[in-house]
Amino acid sequence: AQKITQTQPGMFVQEKEAVTLDCTYDTSDPSYGLFWYKQPSSGEMIFLIYQGSYDQQNATEGRYSLNFQKARKSANLVISASQLGDSAMYFCAMRGNQAGTALIFGKGTTLSVSS
Amino acid sequence: SQTIHQWPATLVQPVGSPLSLECTVEGTSNPNLYWYRQAAGRGLQLLFYSVGIGQISSEVPQNLSASRPQDRQFILSSKKLLLSDSGFYLCAWDDEAEAFFGQGTRLTVV
């Protein structure tokens, strides 16, 4: 069975600072993908970044980077130079690459960015 | 480009009434399709997912059901809604390294 754990219900950061949102996972699949999503108050789910389990380098997308530590089964999201618009709920997700494996989510972390 | 349509955006239904939420995907074929429910301020609960036409996996036993009559159409239904069915329902599709969501339906059962 697969499991995603986000242990930080809420995080607070000031503008221009970096912040790390934690995510750990558990799976028996040898090959899997890890995702991060942002959900602002409007409710839409915005895809941020993807990391494949066999990718040698950590994924980066603009100010977002994924700190992937396979041995520790962690996939933390790092947001550099936080902006007020980054205030939202953030979800970590995982899907095994075997056919028929579903995309599952953690419980989310609410990020609040202050000026 | 791939798009996903989900409607309606909001819905207020009385207890005991039926429900039908529809989701369609464009620009891709044979996607994995999902229905999730989210309570206010909470995480996403996987309700159903489908890897192909007529193939539905149910993750949570409840009074909801799902169907996939066409490759890019996924329908969430209920014969009789309960108060506890209120929430934000999201349809999604994924294909290898990409996963995208519809705009969601905010359902209030009264």
Side-chain angles (χ1 to χ4, degrees), chain A residues 35 37 39 42-45 47 50 89 91 95 100-107, chain B residues 34 36 38 41-44 46 49 51 88 90 94 96-99 101 103 106:
Chain A
F35 305 74
Y37 287 85
Q39 186 182 44
S42 62
E44 65 178 311
M45 294 288 286
F47 169 71
Y50 169 84
M89 199 155 186
F91 291 99
R95 190 199 62 224
T101 308
L103 179 66
I104 62 165
F105 284 78
K107 293 186 176 181
Chain B
Y34 302 84
Y36 295 90
Q38 185 180 26
R42 307 293 292 274
L44 275 69
L46 177 62
Y49 71 100
V51 299
F88 189 53
L90 286 156
D94 74 356
E96 296 183 355
E98 300 181 88
F101 284 79
Q103 293 299 303
R106 206 164 297 277

Side-chain angles (χ1 to χ4, degrees), chain A residues 3-114:
Chain A
K3 186 177 180 181
I4 289 276
T5 302
Q6 294 180 255
T7 58
Q8 306 155 314
M11 290 286 285
F12 298 87
V13 68
Q14 288 200 315
E15 267 186 306
K16 302 180 184 178
E17 291 183 350
V19 62
T20 297
L21 306 183
D22 294 342
C23 174
T24 58
Y25 61 91
D26 194 17
T27 181
S28 56
D29 286 341
S31 176
Y32 49 89
L34 296 155
F35 305 74
W36 275 93
Y37 287 85
K38 172 184 178 181
Q39 186 182 44
S41 56
S42 62
E44 65 178 311
M45 294 288 286
I46 302 169
F47 169 71
L48 295 178
I49 197 167
Y50 169 84
Q51 177 86 42
S53 60
Y54 286 108
D55 292 342
Q56 295 297 315
Q57 293 187 324
N58 287 344
T60 60
E61 289 287 346
R63 295 186 298 112
Y64 304 108
S65 61
L66 199 153
N67 183 4
F68 180 46
Q69 298 187 43
K70 193 171 182 178
R72 298 180 60 185
K73 294 189 175 181
S74 73
N76 299 339
L77 178 70
V78 180
I79 305 175
S80 62
S82 297
Q83 302 172 356
L84 293 177
D86 293 334
S87 294
M89 199 155 186
Y90 288 80
F91 291 99
C92 181
M94 177 180 71
R95 190 199 62 224
N97 288 340
Q98 290 187 27
T101 308
L103 179 66
I104 62 165
F105 284 78
K107 293 186 176 181
T109 296
T110 300
L111 176 64
S112 299
V113 182
S114 59

Side-chain angles (χ1 to χ4, degrees), chain B residues 22-23 33 50 52-56 66-75:
Chain B
E22 187 165 344
C23 173
L33 294 173
S50 170
I53 296 174
Q55 301 177 64
I56 309 293
S67 62
R68 185 169 177 173
Q70 300 179 44
D71 181 43
R72 290 172 285 181
Q73 184 184 29
F74 205 24
I75 298 171

